[in-house]
């Protein structure tokens, strides 16, 4: 059947978690885009809605309890270096409880809160797309 993202475009999701004007980013361990800073997210499972998948992935990866979310943007990542292709629905939330943790150290090595004007580098493709969409969203500019 093949692997999503490798043998055919994969369907993913992401969640931008915002607190005090900063976004939560984790550094990826594995491909695609190993060592890049990333919003939480992952693969959408069959028969799972992307918004629910974004919340599930965020809770699994961060240990936070996610409340309401809203759609932020769509991102298509063609990552030549890793021979991967993903299309991701990205959401945003300010409604969460708890403190972030490293719950999956085999996938994510460190995390931090960063302002949009001081993001660490390198950023994953969908994180760069999400940051740009969040800037437009907060300025009231249409995508």
């Amino acid at each position: 059947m093949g692997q999503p993202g490798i043998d055919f475009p994969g369907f993913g999701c992401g969640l931008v978690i915002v607190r005090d004007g900063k976004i939560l980013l984790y550094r990826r361990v594995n491909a695609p885009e190993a060592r890049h800073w990333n919003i939480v997210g992952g693969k959408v499972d069959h028969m799972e809605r992307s918004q629910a998948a974004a919340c599930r992935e965020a809770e699994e990866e961060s240990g936070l309890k996610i409340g309401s979310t809203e759609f932020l943007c769509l991102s298509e990542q063609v990552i030549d270096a890793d021979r991967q292709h993903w299309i991701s629905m990205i959401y945003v939330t300010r409604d969460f409880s708890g403190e972030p943790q490293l719950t999956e150290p085999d996938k994510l090595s460190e995390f931090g809160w960063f302002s949009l004007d001081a993001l660490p580098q390198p950023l994953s493709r969908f994180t760069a797309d999400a940051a740009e969409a969040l800037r437009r969203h907060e300025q009231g500019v249409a995508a």
Side-chain angles (χ1 to χ4, degrees):
M1 175 163 186
Q3 288 185 279
I6 296 172
D7 298 312
F8 54 88
F11 183 45
C13 61
L15 183 64
V16 181
I17 300 172
V18 182
R19 178 173 76 183
D20 300 328
K22 296 182 177 182
I23 64 173
L24 179 63
L25 298 179
Y26 282 82
R27 190 185 292 265
R28 295 181 57 83
V29 171
N30 305 313
E33 299 179 300
R35 310 263 325 129
H36 286 61
W37 288 93
N38 204 55
I39 58 175
V40 290
K43 183 172 62 78
V44 177
D45 293 333
H46 184 253
M47 300 304 291
E48 180 182 34
R49 296 198 176 272
S50 61
Q51 191 168 21
C55 291
R56 173 185 54 77
E57 288 284 353
E59 290 180 354
E60 289 172 1
E61 292 180 0
S62 71
L64 297 171
K65 176 66 178 151
I66 305 299
S68 64
T69 64
E70 66 177 289
F71 177 73
L72 181 63
C73 67
L74 180 70
S75 172
E76 182 172 19
Q77 310 97 60
V78 177
I79 306 160
D80 291 327
D82 296 314
R83 302 282 309 141
Q84 294 206 29
H85 184 182
W86 290 88
I87 299 170
S88 299
M89 303 281 287
I90 300 177
Y91 299 87
V92 61
T93 189
R94 290 171 177 78
D95 181 16
F96 63 92
S97 60
E99 288 298 321
Q101 304 167 33
L102 278 176
T103 60
E104 297 182 330
D106 57 317
K107 296 179 183 177
L108 305 167
S109 63
E110 58 184 304
F111 68 91
W113 294 97
F114 301 92
S115 66
L116 287 174
D117 59 358
L119 295 173
Q121 297 297 319
L123 289 178
S124 70
R125 177 74 258 147
F126 89 146
T127 299
D129 291 346
E132 181 58 33
L134 186 60
R135 283 185 191 97
R136 288 193 308 267
H137 182 266
E138 291 185 347
Q139 296 169 353
V141 178

